[in-house]
Structures are given as structure tokens and as C-alpha cells.
Amino acid sequence: MMKVLLATDGSDQATTAFRTASRLLRREDSEFDLLCVAPEFYFPKGQAGKTSKKTAGMVEAYDRRIRAEARKHLTQAQATLAALGVEAGSRVEVGSPARVITRLAAEYDITVIGAHDRYTRSKPGLGPVASRVVASAPGAVLIGRELGEEGRQW
């Protein structure tokens, strides 16, 4: 069985990546899991652990809001895949997107992620999260992107 991790943040780039991957990797024995990483709340340097009740309430409200947003992205992604005839599980994690995706990649045969940087002839960048995942993931990584006009001219 091939296990595929489809990371999404709800962006067009991530949607392009997981749609393409679902077409390329769809087999009877493929298992797809969608992942949305909700960024954790960061305190200013030296302030972690020095929270008041008011700050703790703000952090809880942020956590609820960001998890709800992540679930919304996953619901939309599942609907997109269902329209393509692909069933996918889903999970929300909280933390650094690059760290979480890299950690979970060890459980999968291939990890799929969208590239967010502008793609030009002079700068074929991937974006910060995709770059870190490609550099650190223990297995294969498939990158998807929406090409700008210059990228299409090649």
C-alpha cells in the first residue's frame, strides 16, 4: 500500500499540488491523508511562560480560531478530492508547518506540498516551508505550484 501525505494550507498552490498528486498516485492500494498545520501562537522573545489570565484567554481564542480555519481548509480539500473520486482522511496539527510536515513524512511513502515562492527563470524558488520540507523530509516529496506567465513560457 502506498501512503500519501497531502499537506494543505488552503492555498491555490497546495490545491494544485494535491489535485495533481491524486491523479498521479491514485491506485487501488493508495491511501491519502490530508494535513493542515495550524501555526502555534508565538510569544515575543523571553515572554513565554509569563502569561496573565487575559493573555491565556487570547491564546485559547487564537487556538480555537486557527483550528477551525484548518478544519475548514480540510473540508474544502476533501470535497475537491471527492469530486475527483479520491477519498482522503484528514488531520489538524498545531506547530511549525515545516517541522510538523517533516516529522509526519516519516509515516508516509510520499509527501505532497505546494510551493509558494514566485517561479521565474532567475529564481526557481519553492518558498520557506516547501524548501525546509524538501531539505529535511526522510522520504520522497512532490512539489506542486501554480506557474506564472514567465514559468509557462519555457
Side-chain angles (χ1 to χ4, degrees), residues 53-96:
K53 285 185 179 181
K54 181 179 179 182
T55 304
M58 287 176 15
V59 172
E60 285 179 31
Y62 169 84
D63 189 55
R64 280 192 307 273
R65 183 183 59 82
I66 202 76
R67 284 178 182 271
E69 188 175 315
R71 284 190 295 274
K72 178 181 162 197
H73 292 319
L74 289 172
T75 299
Q76 291 170 340
Q78 282 180 309
T80 299
L81 288 172
L84 297 171
V86 175
E87 207 174 297
S90 67
R91 65 194 290 179
V92 173
E93 297 278 337
V94 176
S96 159

Side-chain angles (χ1 to χ4, degrees), residues 67-129:
R67 284 178 182 271
E69 188 175 315
R71 284 190 295 274
K72 178 181 162 197
H73 292 319
L74 289 172
T75 299
Q76 291 170 340
Q78 282 180 309
T80 299
L81 288 172
L84 297 171
V86 175
E87 207 174 297
S90 67
R91 65 194 290 179
V92 173
E93 297 278 337
V94 176
S96 159
R99 284 191 196 119
V100 171
I101 294 166
T102 299
R103 176 177 50 82
L104 293 176
E107 302 171 19
Y108 293 86
D109 298 304
I110 188 165
T111 301
V112 179
I113 190 167
H116 283 277
D117 219 359
R118 278 184 44 93
Y119 185 84
T120 65
R121 290 182 197 189
S122 61
K123 184 185 169 207
L126 297 176
V129 174

